[in-house]
Amino acid sequence: MPDFFLRGIFSYKQFALRLRIHSRTFMNTIYTLKKILIDVLNLGDFGEELDANSILLGGLAELDSMAVVSVIAKIEEHFGFTIEDDEINGQVFETLGSLSIFVDGKLA
């Protein structure tokens, strides 16, 4: 059993509730990002197959450097935050899941 249960920081029910909320938020972000990618990159039906493990950079021919700029602009517009140049690197755009984690971190 994890030590935060033993120390009484979270009860199992509290932990399970936080995990469910985080999972739901993560999946909502993935869904939204998938729709943004489909729209900006014109992926059509192929885009519907994207999931958290889908490789973006190097996996989607449509995602070149100019497309990354367009995707970032759309993410900023949709979620209402600014992404600084130094926050973006290859790891952020490695997979749809890594991009979602980045966005969720900006929203937190």
Side-chain angles (χ1 to χ4, degrees), residues 22 25-27 29-31 33-34 37 50-60 63 68 71-72 75 79 81 83 87-107:
H22 176 73
T25 302
F26 181 74
M27 293 310 293
T29 304
I30 292 244
Y31 177 79
L33 290 172
K34 181 165 57 168
L37 289 168
L50 294 175
D51 63 20
N53 297 315
S54 296
I55 296 174
L56 300 180
L57 283 179
L60 295 176
L63 192 62
V68 167
V71 169
I72 290 170
I75 290 170
F79 290 102
F81 56 69
I83 300 172
E87 293 178 295
I88 296 300
N89 57 49
Q91 291 176 332
V92 171
F93 275 87
E94 184 176 358
T95 65
L96 183 55
S98 63
L99 183 58
S100 182
I101 289 168
F102 172 79
V103 169
D104 283 343
K106 293 287 287 182
L107 292 171

Side-chain angles (χ1 to χ4, degrees), residues 13-30:
K13 285 183 181 181
Q14 289 170 321
F15 177 74
L17 177 61
R18 286 175 186 248
L19 185 60
R20 265 198 318 265
I21 290 169
H22 176 73
S23 295
R24 191 173 328 127
T25 302
F26 181 74
M27 293 310 293
N28 287 340
T29 304
I30 292 244

